[in-house]
Amino acid sequence: MYPDTMQESLRRVAATRPERLRLAREKGSKHVFPAMNADERAVVLREFHPDFNEKARRKVRVGPNAGEEITTEVADLLEAWPRVSPDHFDLAKPDIETDVLIIGGGSAGCSAALLAEEQGAKVLLITKLRLGDSNSVMAQGGIQAAVNPTDSPATHYLDVLGGGHFQNKPELVEALTLDGPKVIQWLIDLGVIFDSWPDGRLVTHHGGGTSRKRMLSCRDYSGSGILRVLRDEVECRSENIRLMEFTPAVELIRDADGTVAGAVVQNFETDEYFVIKAGATILTTGGLGRLHTQGFPTSNHYGATCDGVVLGYRAGAKTIFMDSVQYHPTGAVFPEQIVGFLVTEKVRGLGGQPLNIDGELFVFPLEPRDVEASAIIRECRGREKGLLTPSGQVGVWLDSPIIDELHGPGTIEKELPAMVRQFNRFNIDITKEPMLIFPTLHFQNGGLDVNPDCETTLPGLYAAGEVQGGTHGRNRLMGNSQLEITVFGRRAGIAAARYALERRGRSTPLTMEHVFAYCRELEQAGIDRSRIAPILLPDYLPEHVKAKRYAAGMPADVRT
Ligand code: MEZ
């Protein structure tokens, strides 16, 4: 239920709807508002995208990317001390040995495990929370792949490059788009049920920046529709895929040849540490939403704390595009309980329109994400045409009722059941009233630098999914993350298994000398010892509680 202060604006939204509807019906949703040209996009990005804020980036002083500009909150994490001292572990006596160690239990981790197992490797998958607790499972709107006869991987390739401002690594985009249709078939064969027409053809929608309809979906539970199948499959293959939950990695291990050869992991429940020796190691740890860059709320899951980049970087792997963060244009800003929650882009794919306080459409609804988000920020902060919520947030409307008007009653209930439920809990019926939205921190555009086999710049270390960088340049389009985690999860699984199987039986001594070396760099750069990483879990304790803990002689940070 919206407060009285918003009722006048809601009346204006209802008043402008018939004309907006007429335009959408007569000209098609693509022409309801002129799309920006390249110059207009550049201006709105420069003036309003958070990445262009002067405090958004700073030079990192240590590690393989030293001297490069990196997102400030990430630079803070890279300039942090280890959680554990390498002295404490007897590397000559590993607690567990495996061919392939996978760190992270979302769709990339599960895909990697399945494909590594199929190569004949023994796999150990460790995950910080439960298997499946990840950004993968929270994706709503869909997965892109060129499955339609009017589409092709080449067209998809061009869209991905355009969305990424032509800065993407082309070989990764090629792998992503060429593997796309094959991966969709693989998912269907495993049991994923994508939305389809009665004659069996897959339903496809547009997303921001797509030149063809290629967004496949499982209603608006797409990530969950995919991951539950992958997770079940992993659990079914328990003979060769061992699973350890509530067990994050806290440091990578290398061997005397410089190859990454496993990790030190922590059991969250017992606080025990284990040394795991592996023939190859794959990072599938996801993104960084819980760093709340520039104070933004996030659509990400609780464990999205950038751990994989920290671990890989400290071991010596290079990053790419770690100066770029994605703010999804439509996060909820009302009610307060769901601030930052995702409002899927599928709403706009179905014809939903962003409107200001006067009920005016102010941007083409399907601009690429960074442009759409910047235009919404401009409407609120630059033009002051947003609405203020009782808790002090500012947002604009996303007109959902127009969807039923465009496509027939019942469309919203059928296509957007997650959205309907999310708002119904607060007595907001999105079939009758719009949602109030503002950009929310959604995705880590950059990550560890990889090639199409997911090899990082360190031998024996692979990265797949959100933790890898390069595929999307500095801006990802909707649905390409769900594709990336499966395409590159599979590729990492195959490549890592082959690497590990070739090395089976070798016994090169393990070392954590790289951690000592990193500490020396931190020391030289004068980095404050109170900063510890990976952080593993976000810190939401209020300052006054921390002060009390400190006064009682406890560590102020509950996570240490
Ligand atoms: O790819 C995404 O980020 C996605 C599917 C999000 C959404 O809006 O639903």
Side-chain angles (χ1 to χ4, degrees):
M1 184 112 66
Y2 290 111
D4 289 349
T5 50
M6 296 184 190
Q7 294 302 324
E8 176 51 32
S9 179
L10 282 168
R11 278 191 282 279
R12 287 183 217 160
V13 168
T16 59
R17 194 174 293 131
E19 177 56 16
R20 289 185 283 108
L21 191 57
R22 186 189 66 75
L23 213 66
R25 279 199 183 122
E26 278 176 16
K27 299 198 162 191
S29 289
K30 276 207 134 183
H31 303 284
V32 288
F33 196 93
M36 287 186 221
N37 63 33
D39 291 341
E40 289 165 333
R41 284 180 177 176
V43 170
V44 77
L45 286 171
R46 199 171 54 239
E47 293 182 359
F48 291 96
H49 194 281
D51 274 355
F52 288 84
N53 178 324
E54 61 176 26
K55 296 214 172 106
R57 301 161 183 175
R58 72 170 175 84
K59 279 199 174 116
V60 64
R61 290 170 285 174
V62 295
N65 289 69
E68 285 179 25
E69 297 267 329
I70 292 213
T71 299
T72 305
E73 292 80 354
V74 177
D76 289 349
L77 277 194
L78 298 181
E79 292 178 1
W81 294 79
R83 301 185 71 81
V84 289
S85 167
D87 290 330
H88 290 165
F89 305 102
D90 184 356
L91 300 177
K93 290 195 195 126
D95 298 291
I96 303 172
E97 295 195 31
T98 185
D99 291 320
V100 176
L101 170 65
I102 300 172
I103 304 172
S107 287
C110 290
S111 302
L114 296 175
L115 270 290
E117 190 257 358
E118 285 170 21
Q119 309 307 306
K122 286 280 179 199
V123 177
L124 170 61
L125 193 162
I126 64 166
T127 180
K128 182 163 63 177
L129 299 168
R130 296 163 306 179
L131 184 64
D133 286 339
S134 58
N135 286 345
S136 316
V137 82
M138 297 173 80
Q140 295 172 348
I143 174 168
Q144 283 203 48
V147 295
N148 283 333
T150 51
D151 198 3
S152 68
T155 312
H156 188 184
Y157 175 92
L158 291 175
D159 285 351
V160 179
L161 279 191
H165 305 283
F166 301 95
Q167 293 173 2
N168 329 42
K169 281 182 83 168
E171 62 274 29
L172 297 183
V173 186
E174 184 182 341
L176 178 85
T177 53
L178 275 179
D179 281 10
K182 179 176 80 184
V183 164
I184 296 301
Q185 192 55 53
W186 176 68
L187 291 171
I188 291 172
D189 292 344
L190 284 176
V192 175
I193 304 168
F194 289 112
D195 298 333
S196 57
W197 299 106
D199 64 5
R201 279 175 307 125
L202 295 168
V203 173
T204 48
H205 291 288
H206 269 297
T210 57
S211 64
R212 298 285 187 282
K213 286 187 178 178
R214 71 170 75 88
M215 199 70 58
L216 305 161
S217 54
C218 312
R219 301 295 195 251
D220 56 350
Y221 289 106
S222 305
S224 163
I226 294 169
L227 182 50
R228 70 188 171 88
V229 169
L230 294 175
R231 190 183 52 202
D232 284 357
E233 193 64 29
V234 164
E235 284 173 347
C236 284
R237 301 194 199 172
S238 57
E239 216 169 287
N240 295 319
I241 304 176
R242 179 173 170 187
L243 175 64
M244 287 168 74
E245 295 181 310
F246 298 105
T247 305
V250 295
E251 213 64 73
L252 293 179
I253 298 171
R254 295 178 67 170
D255 70 16
D257 296 339
T259 298
V260 172
V264 175
V265 307
Q266 176 186 3
N267 181 320
F268 259 164
E269 285 165 308
T270 61
D271 256 345
E272 282 170 285
Y273 290 90
F274 299 106
V275 171
I276 298 176
K277 181 178 179 197
T281 303
I282 309 178
L283 291 167
T284 53
T285 46
L288 56 55
R290 294 286 162 170
L291 300 188
H292 295 287
T293 55
Q294 298 183 48
F296 270 79
T298 186
S299 59
N300 284 190
H301 86 114
Y302 190 59
T305 49
C306 204
D307 302 349
V309 170
V310 171
L311 297 174
Y313 193 77
R314 199 179 275 155
K318 284 199 82 156
T319 66
I320 183 170
F321 300 136
M322 276 313 287
D323 56 352
S324 168
V325 174
Q326 175 161 95
Y327 298 86
H328 190 291
T330 58
V333 283
F334 184 87
E336 199 178 353
Q337 293 91 325
I338 57 167
V339 168
F341 280 30
L342 188 61
V343 173
T344 175
E345 191 166 319
K346 190 175 177 190
V347 174
R348 284 173 288 132
L350 289 164
Q353 301 181 341
L355 309 173
N356 65 21
I357 189 167
D358 294 323
E360 296 160 340
L361 180 58
F362 57 88
V363 61
F364 172 56
L366 285 175
E367 293 283 3
R369 274 201 179 152
D370 52 354
V371 175
E372 189 82 12
S374 304
I376 291 171
I377 296 173
R378 174 173 66 189
E379 202 64 13
C380 292
R381 294 184 181 161
R383 298 174 175 162
E384 302 197 356
K385 289 270 200 168
L387 285 94
L388 189 65
T389 72
S391 64
Q393 315 278 330
V394 180
V396 293
W397 297 114
L398 180 59
D399 192 17
S400 41
I402 198 170
I403 294 172
D404 273 1
E405 304 264 8
L406 277 169
H407 304 289
T411 306
I412 298 173
E413 293 264 3
K414 180 172 167 230
E415 297 284 346
L416 300 164
M419 290 298 94
V420 169
R421 276 193 201 130
Q422 178 163 297
F423 284 89
N424 260 349
R425 285 167 54 215
F426 304 100
N427 289 330
I428 294 172
D429 178 354
I430 67 164
T431 67
K432 299 199 169 61
E433 289 181 311
M435 296 165 263
L436 199 66
I437 54 93
F438 190 77
T440 182
L441 172 47
H442 186 59
F443 188 76
Q444 171 184 306
N445 286 322
L448 295 170
D449 196 1
V450 293
N451 66 15
D453 282 332
C454 298
E455 292 169 329
T456 66
T457 56
L458 275 184
L461 182 65
Y462 298 75
E466 194 166 346
V467 68
Q468 78 179 72
T471 317
H472 313 288
R474 289 191 167 83
N475 178 55
R476 177 176 69 78
L477 300 182
M478 172 191 180
N480 283 334
S481 171
Q482 285 293 301
L483 188 60
E484 178 178 56
I485 54 190
T486 37
V487 162
F488 291 102
R490 285 167 47 96
R491 282 174 169 257
I494 295 170
R498 289 185 181 157
Y499 184 86
L501 291 176
E502 239 174 59
R503 295 174 68 85
R504 243 188 202 169
R506 289 194 204 178
S507 58
T508 322
L510 301 184
T511 165
M512 288 174 79
E513 181 48 41
H514 57 282
V515 182
F516 291 116
Y518 201 85
C519 290
R520 286 194 291 276
E521 276 195 70
L522 293 169
E523 192 82 57
Q524 271 164 16
I527 308 291
D528 178 1
R529 283 194 176 263
S530 67
R531 278 220 305 264
I532 306 282
I535 60 174
L536 305 182
L537 295 174
D539 176 13
Y540 291 130
L541 266 195
E543 287 308 317
H544 70 275
V545 177
K546 282 188 197 167
K548 270 194 199 161
R549 286 177 59 89
Y550 189 70
M554 298 153 80
D557 186 338
V558 278
R559 302 161 303 168
T560 50

PDB file of all heavy atoms in Angstrom, residues 138-143 215 222 326 328 330 342-346 348 369 442-443 476-482, ligand 1:
ATOM      1  N   MET A 138      19.303 -16.316  -7.864  1.00  0.00           N
ATOM      2  CA  MET A 138      18.437 -15.141  -7.688  1.00  0.00           C
ATOM      3  C   MET A 138      18.107 -14.444  -9.003  1.00  0.00           C
ATOM      4  O   MET A 138      17.321 -13.506  -9.024  1.00  0.00           O
ATOM      5  CB  MET A 138      19.106 -14.151  -6.736  1.00  0.00           C
ATOM      6  CG  MET A 138      19.282 -14.749  -5.354  1.00  0.00           C
ATOM      7  SD  MET A 138      20.240 -13.703  -4.287  1.00  0.00           S
ATOM      8  CE  MET A 138      19.003 -12.521  -3.795  1.00  0.00           C
ATOM      9  N   ALA A 139      18.725 -14.879 -10.097  1.00  0.00           N
ATOM     10  CA  ALA A 139      18.432 -14.251 -11.390  1.00  0.00           C
ATOM     11  C   ALA A 139      16.977 -14.509 -11.741  1.00  0.00           C
ATOM     12  O   ALA A 139      16.460 -15.601 -11.534  1.00  0.00           O
ATOM     13  CB  ALA A 139      19.348 -14.817 -12.459  1.00  0.00           C
ATOM     14  N   GLN A 140      16.342 -13.507 -12.265  1.00  0.00           N
ATOM     15  CA  GLN A 140      14.906 -13.633 -12.486  1.00  0.00           C
ATOM     16  C   GLN A 140      14.542 -13.747 -13.967  1.00  0.00           C
ATOM     17  O   GLN A 140      13.908 -14.690 -14.410  1.00  0.00           O
ATOM     18  CB  GLN A 140      14.195 -12.427 -11.857  1.00  0.00           C
ATOM     19  CG  GLN A 140      14.347 -12.398 -10.349  1.00  0.00           C
ATOM     20  CD  GLN A 140      13.829 -11.116  -9.725  1.00  0.00           C
ATOM     21  OE1 GLN A 140      13.552 -10.138 -10.404  1.00  0.00           O
ATOM     22  NE2 GLN A 140      13.693 -11.117  -8.413  1.00  0.00           N
ATOM     23  N   GLY A 141      14.939 -12.724 -14.746  1.00  0.00           N
ATOM     24  CA  GLY A 141      14.347 -12.541 -16.076  1.00  0.00           C
ATOM     25  C   GLY A 141      14.700 -13.556 -17.126  1.00  0.00           C
ATOM     26  O   GLY A 141      13.879 -13.841 -17.993  1.00  0.00           O
ATOM     27  N   GLY A 142      15.920 -14.089 -17.116  1.00  0.00           N
ATOM     28  CA  GLY A 142      16.192 -15.058 -18.160  1.00  0.00           C
ATOM     29  C   GLY A 142      17.640 -15.258 -18.526  1.00  0.00           C
ATOM     30  O   GLY A 142      18.545 -14.756 -17.873  1.00  0.00           O
ATOM     31  N   ILE A 143      17.825 -16.034 -19.587  1.00  0.00           N
ATOM     32  CA  ILE A 143      19.146 -16.391 -20.103  1.00  0.00           C
ATOM     33  C   ILE A 143      19.116 -16.162 -21.618  1.00  0.00           C
ATOM     34  O   ILE A 143      18.180 -16.579 -22.294  1.00  0.00           O
ATOM     35  CB  ILE A 143      19.490 -17.856 -19.737  1.00  0.00           C
ATOM     36  CG1 ILE A 143      20.811 -18.317 -20.377  1.00  0.00           C
ATOM     37  CG2 ILE A 143      18.388 -18.828 -20.136  1.00  0.00           C
ATOM     38  CD1 ILE A 143      21.328 -19.660 -19.798  1.00  0.00           C
ATOM     39  N   MET A 215      15.719 -13.866 -25.089  1.00  0.00           N
ATOM     40  CA  MET A 215      15.728 -14.108 -23.647  1.00  0.00           C
ATOM     41  C   MET A 215      14.812 -15.282 -23.333  1.00  0.00           C
ATOM     42  O   MET A 215      13.593 -15.182 -23.450  1.00  0.00           O
ATOM     43  CB  MET A 215      15.203 -12.860 -22.928  1.00  0.00           C
ATOM     44  CG  MET A 215      15.572 -12.802 -21.479  1.00  0.00           C
ATOM     45  SD  MET A 215      17.318 -12.509 -21.308  1.00  0.00           S
ATOM     46  CE  MET A 215      17.470 -10.984 -22.192  1.00  0.00           C
ATOM     47  N   SER A 222      14.011 -17.618 -13.331  1.00  0.00           N
ATOM     48  CA  SER A 222      14.871 -18.316 -14.294  1.00  0.00           C
ATOM     49  C   SER A 222      16.131 -18.906 -13.643  1.00  0.00           C
ATOM     50  O   SER A 222      16.503 -20.050 -13.918  1.00  0.00           O
ATOM     51  CB  SER A 222      15.268 -17.371 -15.425  1.00  0.00           C
ATOM     52  OG  SER A 222      14.112 -16.822 -16.008  1.00  0.00           O
ATOM     53  N   GLN A 326      28.155  -3.012 -12.073  1.00  0.00           N
ATOM     54  CA  GLN A 326      26.848  -2.831 -12.703  1.00  0.00           C
ATOM     55  C   GLN A 326      25.771  -2.484 -11.673  1.00  0.00           C
ATOM     56  O   GLN A 326      25.608  -3.178 -10.675  1.00  0.00           O
ATOM     57  CB  GLN A 326      26.415  -4.106 -13.425  1.00  0.00           C
ATOM     58  CG  GLN A 326      25.001  -3.984 -13.980  1.00  0.00           C
ATOM     59  CD  GLN A 326      24.699  -4.987 -15.066  1.00  0.00           C
ATOM     60  OE1 GLN A 326      24.139  -6.032 -14.771  1.00  0.00           O
ATOM     61  NE2 GLN A 326      25.086  -4.694 -16.287  1.00  0.00           N
ATOM     62  N   HIS A 328      21.892  -2.324 -11.558  1.00  0.00           N
ATOM     63  CA  HIS A 328      20.694  -2.724 -12.308  1.00  0.00           C
ATOM     64  C   HIS A 328      19.706  -1.567 -12.240  1.00  0.00           C
ATOM     65  O   HIS A 328      19.475  -1.011 -11.159  1.00  0.00           O
ATOM     66  CB  HIS A 328      20.095  -3.979 -11.663  1.00  0.00           C
ATOM     67  CG  HIS A 328      19.017  -4.627 -12.465  1.00  0.00           C
ATOM     68  ND1 HIS A 328      17.789  -4.051 -12.667  1.00  0.00           N
ATOM     69  CD2 HIS A 328      18.972  -5.815 -13.104  1.00  0.00           C
ATOM     70  CE1 HIS A 328      17.044  -4.854 -13.398  1.00  0.00           C
ATOM     71  NE2 HIS A 328      17.742  -5.941 -13.684  1.00  0.00           N
ATOM     72  N   THR A 330      16.568  -1.264 -12.183  1.00  0.00           N
ATOM     73  CA  THR A 330      15.334  -1.323 -11.401  1.00  0.00           C
ATOM     74  C   THR A 330      15.476  -2.207 -10.154  1.00  0.00           C
ATOM     75  O   THR A 330      15.205  -3.403 -10.195  1.00  0.00           O
ATOM     76  CB  THR A 330      14.148  -1.808 -12.281  1.00  0.00           C
ATOM     77  OG1 THR A 330      14.477  -3.091 -12.821  1.00  0.00           O
ATOM     78  CG2 THR A 330      13.869  -0.851 -13.418  1.00  0.00           C
ATOM     79  N   LEU A 342      15.768  -7.052  -6.506  1.00  0.00           N
ATOM     80  CA  LEU A 342      15.655  -6.938  -7.959  1.00  0.00           C
ATOM     81  C   LEU A 342      14.206  -6.849  -8.425  1.00  0.00           C
ATOM     82  O   LEU A 342      13.338  -7.580  -7.942  1.00  0.00           O
ATOM     83  CB  LEU A 342      16.303  -8.175  -8.588  1.00  0.00           C
ATOM     84  CG  LEU A 342      16.467  -8.169 -10.096  1.00  0.00           C
ATOM     85  CD1 LEU A 342      17.360  -7.011 -10.534  1.00  0.00           C
ATOM     86  CD2 LEU A 342      17.070  -9.488 -10.564  1.00  0.00           C
ATOM     87  N   VAL A 343      13.963  -5.920  -9.337  1.00  0.00           N
ATOM     88  CA  VAL A 343      12.708  -5.918 -10.100  1.00  0.00           C
ATOM     89  C   VAL A 343      13.140  -6.236 -11.528  1.00  0.00           C
ATOM     90  O   VAL A 343      13.779  -5.425 -12.198  1.00  0.00           O
ATOM     91  CB  VAL A 343      12.002  -4.550 -10.020  1.00  0.00           C
ATOM     92  CG1 VAL A 343      10.806  -4.522 -10.959  1.00  0.00           C
ATOM     93  CG2 VAL A 343      11.559  -4.261  -8.585  1.00  0.00           C
ATOM     94  N   THR A 344      12.826  -7.423 -11.962  1.00  0.00           N
ATOM     95  CA  THR A 344      13.446  -7.948 -13.178  1.00  0.00           C
ATOM     96  C   THR A 344      13.244  -7.066 -14.410  1.00  0.00           C
ATOM     97  O   THR A 344      12.179  -6.478 -14.612  1.00  0.00           O
ATOM     98  CB  THR A 344      12.963  -9.378 -13.484  1.00  0.00           C
ATOM     99  OG1 THR A 344      13.516  -9.784 -14.738  1.00  0.00           O
ATOM    100  CG2 THR A 344      11.446  -9.484 -13.579  1.00  0.00           C
ATOM    101  N   GLU A 345      14.292  -7.071 -15.236  1.00  0.00           N
ATOM    102  CA  GLU A 345      14.241  -6.343 -16.511  1.00  0.00           C
ATOM    103  C   GLU A 345      13.137  -6.904 -17.418  1.00  0.00           C
ATOM    104  O   GLU A 345      12.711  -6.261 -18.378  1.00  0.00           O
ATOM    105  CB  GLU A 345      15.618  -6.483 -17.177  1.00  0.00           C
ATOM    106  CG  GLU A 345      15.832  -5.585 -18.363  1.00  0.00           C
ATOM    107  CD  GLU A 345      17.304  -5.506 -18.764  1.00  0.00           C
ATOM    108  OE1 GLU A 345      18.184  -5.422 -17.862  1.00  0.00           O
ATOM    109  OE2 GLU A 345      17.592  -5.527 -19.965  1.00  0.00           O
ATOM    110  N   LYS A 346      12.707  -8.116 -17.095  1.00  0.00           N
ATOM    111  CA  LYS A 346      11.623  -8.709 -17.895  1.00  0.00           C
ATOM    112  C   LYS A 346      10.370  -7.837 -17.846  1.00  0.00           C
ATOM    113  O   LYS A 346       9.562  -7.848 -18.773  1.00  0.00           O
ATOM    114  CB  LYS A 346      11.325 -10.121 -17.358  1.00  0.00           C
ATOM    115  CG  LYS A 346      10.406 -10.922 -18.255  1.00  0.00           C
ATOM    116  CD  LYS A 346      10.235 -12.340 -17.741  1.00  0.00           C
ATOM    117  CE  LYS A 346       9.255 -13.115 -18.604  1.00  0.00           C
ATOM    118  NZ  LYS A 346       8.894 -14.404 -18.011  1.00  0.00           N
ATOM    119  N   ARG A 348      10.282  -4.668 -18.136  1.00  0.00           N
ATOM    120  CA  ARG A 348      10.404  -3.748 -19.278  1.00  0.00           C
ATOM    121  C   ARG A 348      10.395  -4.513 -20.595  1.00  0.00           C
ATOM    122  O   ARG A 348       9.907  -4.020 -21.605  1.00  0.00           O
ATOM    123  CB  ARG A 348      11.673  -2.897 -19.131  1.00  0.00           C
ATOM    124  CG  ARG A 348      11.496  -1.786 -18.092  1.00  0.00           C
ATOM    125  CD  ARG A 348      12.794  -1.042 -17.828  1.00  0.00           C
ATOM    126  NE  ARG A 348      13.730  -1.854 -17.075  1.00  0.00           N
ATOM    127  CZ  ARG A 348      15.014  -2.032 -17.378  1.00  0.00           C
ATOM    128  NH1 ARG A 348      15.529  -1.413 -18.414  1.00  0.00           N
ATOM    129  NH2 ARG A 348      15.788  -2.809 -16.640  1.00  0.00           N
ATOM    130  N   ARG A 369      21.871  -1.569 -19.939  1.00  0.00           N
ATOM    131  CA  ARG A 369      21.679  -1.369 -18.491  1.00  0.00           C
ATOM    132  C   ARG A 369      22.335  -0.121 -17.915  1.00  0.00           C
ATOM    133  O   ARG A 369      21.735   0.603 -17.131  1.00  0.00           O
ATOM    134  CB  ARG A 369      22.228  -2.578 -17.737  1.00  0.00           C
ATOM    135  CG  ARG A 369      21.205  -3.630 -17.644  1.00  0.00           C
ATOM    136  CD  ARG A 369      21.511  -4.568 -16.536  1.00  0.00           C
ATOM    137  NE  ARG A 369      20.422  -5.532 -16.529  1.00  0.00           N
ATOM    138  CZ  ARG A 369      20.535  -6.766 -16.098  1.00  0.00           C
ATOM    139  NH1 ARG A 369      21.674  -7.194 -15.618  1.00  0.00           N
ATOM    140  NH2 ARG A 369      19.486  -7.561 -16.109  1.00  0.00           N
ATOM    141  N   HIS A 442      24.248  -4.658  -8.727  1.00  0.00           N
ATOM    142  CA  HIS A 442      23.786  -5.963  -9.217  1.00  0.00           C
ATOM    143  C   HIS A 442      24.888  -6.915  -9.658  1.00  0.00           C
ATOM    144  O   HIS A 442      24.778  -8.121  -9.488  1.00  0.00           O
ATOM    145  CB  HIS A 442      22.840  -5.704 -10.397  1.00  0.00           C
ATOM    146  CG  HIS A 442      22.158  -6.916 -10.938  1.00  0.00           C
ATOM    147  ND1 HIS A 442      21.339  -7.712 -10.166  1.00  0.00           N
ATOM    148  CD2 HIS A 442      22.161  -7.476 -12.174  1.00  0.00           C
ATOM    149  CE1 HIS A 442      20.863  -8.695 -10.904  1.00  0.00           C
ATOM    150  NE2 HIS A 442      21.357  -8.584 -12.122  1.00  0.00           N
ATOM    151  N   PHE A 443      25.989  -6.385 -10.246  1.00  0.00           N
ATOM    152  CA  PHE A 443      26.905  -7.319 -10.917  1.00  0.00           C
ATOM    153  C   PHE A 443      28.318  -6.758 -10.956  1.00  0.00           C
ATOM    154  O   PHE A 443      28.522  -5.550 -11.102  1.00  0.00           O
ATOM    155  CB  PHE A 443      26.398  -7.556 -12.348  1.00  0.00           C
ATOM    156  CG  PHE A 443      27.128  -8.627 -13.100  1.00  0.00           C
ATOM    157  CD1 PHE A 443      26.892  -9.966 -12.827  1.00  0.00           C
ATOM    158  CD2 PHE A 443      28.057  -8.303 -14.077  1.00  0.00           C
ATOM    159  CE1 PHE A 443      27.562 -10.968 -13.520  1.00  0.00           C
ATOM    160  CE2 PHE A 443      28.739  -9.295 -14.779  1.00  0.00           C
ATOM    161  CZ  PHE A 443      28.480 -10.626 -14.503  1.00  0.00           C
ATOM    162  N   ARG A 476      27.358  -5.359 -18.743  1.00  0.00           N
ATOM    163  CA  ARG A 476      26.735  -6.617 -19.165  1.00  0.00           C
ATOM    164  C   ARG A 476      25.283  -6.389 -19.542  1.00  0.00           C
ATOM    165  O   ARG A 476      24.594  -5.587 -18.912  1.00  0.00           O
ATOM    166  CB  ARG A 476      26.825  -7.636 -18.026  1.00  0.00           C
ATOM    167  CG  ARG A 476      26.140  -8.944 -18.346  1.00  0.00           C
ATOM    168  CD  ARG A 476      26.339  -9.951 -17.259  1.00  0.00           C
ATOM    169  NE  ARG A 476      25.637  -9.627 -16.036  1.00  0.00           N
ATOM    170  CZ  ARG A 476      24.341  -9.814 -15.831  1.00  0.00           C
ATOM    171  NH1 ARG A 476      23.560 -10.274 -16.796  1.00  0.00           N
ATOM    172  NH2 ARG A 476      23.799  -9.513 -14.662  1.00  0.00           N
ATOM    173  N   LEU A 477      24.812  -7.119 -20.534  1.00  0.00           N
ATOM    174  CA  LEU A 477      23.388  -7.090 -20.865  1.00  0.00           C
ATOM    175  C   LEU A 477      22.675  -8.214 -20.125  1.00  0.00           C
ATOM    176  O   LEU A 477      23.255  -9.254 -19.806  1.00  0.00           O
ATOM    177  CB  LEU A 477      23.192  -7.272 -22.373  1.00  0.00           C
ATOM    178  CG  LEU A 477      23.836  -6.212 -23.275  1.00  0.00           C
ATOM    179  CD1 LEU A 477      23.503  -6.504 -24.731  1.00  0.00           C
ATOM    180  CD2 LEU A 477      23.377  -4.805 -22.907  1.00  0.00           C
ATOM    181  N   MET A 478      21.379  -7.972 -19.900  1.00  0.00           N
ATOM    182  CA  MET A 478      20.552  -8.951 -19.187  1.00  0.00           C
ATOM    183  C   MET A 478      20.662 -10.354 -19.805  1.00  0.00           C
ATOM    184  O   MET A 478      20.717 -10.503 -21.015  1.00  0.00           O
ATOM    185  CB  MET A 478      19.096  -8.513 -19.281  1.00  0.00           C
ATOM    186  CG  MET A 478      18.108  -9.522 -18.759  1.00  0.00           C
ATOM    187  SD  MET A 478      16.439  -9.029 -19.218  1.00  0.00           S
ATOM    188  CE  MET A 478      15.506 -10.359 -18.493  1.00  0.00           C
ATOM    189  N   GLY A 479      20.698 -11.359 -18.936  1.00  0.00           N
ATOM    190  CA  GLY A 479      20.628 -12.742 -19.400  1.00  0.00           C
ATOM    191  C   GLY A 479      21.962 -13.303 -19.866  1.00  0.00           C
ATOM    192  O   GLY A 479      22.092 -14.510 -20.055  1.00  0.00           O
ATOM    193  N   ASN A 480      22.971 -12.448 -20.024  1.00  0.00           N
ATOM    194  CA  ASN A 480      24.272 -12.965 -20.436  1.00  0.00           C
ATOM    195  C   ASN A 480      25.068 -13.498 -19.251  1.00  0.00           C
ATOM    196  O   ASN A 480      26.085 -14.159 -19.440  1.00  0.00           O
ATOM    197  CB  ASN A 480      25.076 -11.898 -21.180  1.00  0.00           C
ATOM    198  CG  ASN A 480      24.576 -11.733 -22.594  1.00  0.00           C
ATOM    199  OD1 ASN A 480      24.013 -12.671 -23.174  1.00  0.00           O
ATOM    200  ND2 ASN A 480      24.754 -10.549 -23.161  1.00  0.00           N
ATOM    201  N   SER A 481      24.625 -13.202 -18.049  1.00  0.00           N
ATOM    202  CA  SER A 481      25.299 -13.765 -16.881  1.00  0.00           C
ATOM    203  C   SER A 481      24.884 -15.228 -16.713  1.00  0.00           C
ATOM    204  O   SER A 481      25.726 -16.108 -16.471  1.00  0.00           O
ATOM    205  CB  SER A 481      24.928 -12.961 -15.643  1.00  0.00           C
ATOM    206  OG  SER A 481      25.406 -13.613 -14.509  1.00  0.00           O
ATOM    207  N   GLN A 482      23.588 -15.495 -16.858  1.00  0.00           N
ATOM    208  CA  GLN A 482      23.136 -16.886 -16.758  1.00  0.00           C
ATOM    209  C   GLN A 482      23.811 -17.739 -17.832  1.00  0.00           C
ATOM    210  O   GLN A 482      24.135 -18.897 -17.595  1.00  0.00           O
ATOM    211  CB  GLN A 482      21.611 -16.956 -16.911  1.00  0.00           C
ATOM    212  CG  GLN A 482      20.842 -16.487 -15.674  1.00  0.00           C
ATOM    213  CD  GLN A 482      21.041 -17.409 -14.493  1.00  0.00           C
ATOM    214  OE1 GLN A 482      20.741 -18.598 -14.553  1.00  0.00           O
ATOM    215  NE2 GLN A 482      21.556 -16.883 -13.394  1.00  0.00           N
TER     216      GLN A 482
HETATM  217  O1  MEZ B   1      20.944 -11.139 -16.198  1.00  0.00           O
HETATM  218  C1  MEZ B   1      20.405 -10.564 -15.243  1.00  0.00           C
HETATM  219  O2  MEZ B   1      21.020  -9.805 -14.511  1.00  0.00           O
HETATM  220  C2  MEZ B   1      18.952 -10.744 -15.030  1.00  0.00           C
HETATM  221  C3  MEZ B   1      18.343 -11.903 -15.681  1.00  0.00           C
HETATM  222  C4  MEZ B   1      18.305  -9.850 -14.299  1.00  0.00           C
HETATM  223  C5  MEZ B   1      16.892  -9.495 -14.412  1.00  0.00           C
HETATM  224  O3  MEZ B   1      16.606  -8.320 -14.561  1.00  0.00           O
HETATM  225  O4  MEZ B   1      16.026 -10.352 -14.336  1.00  0.00           O
END
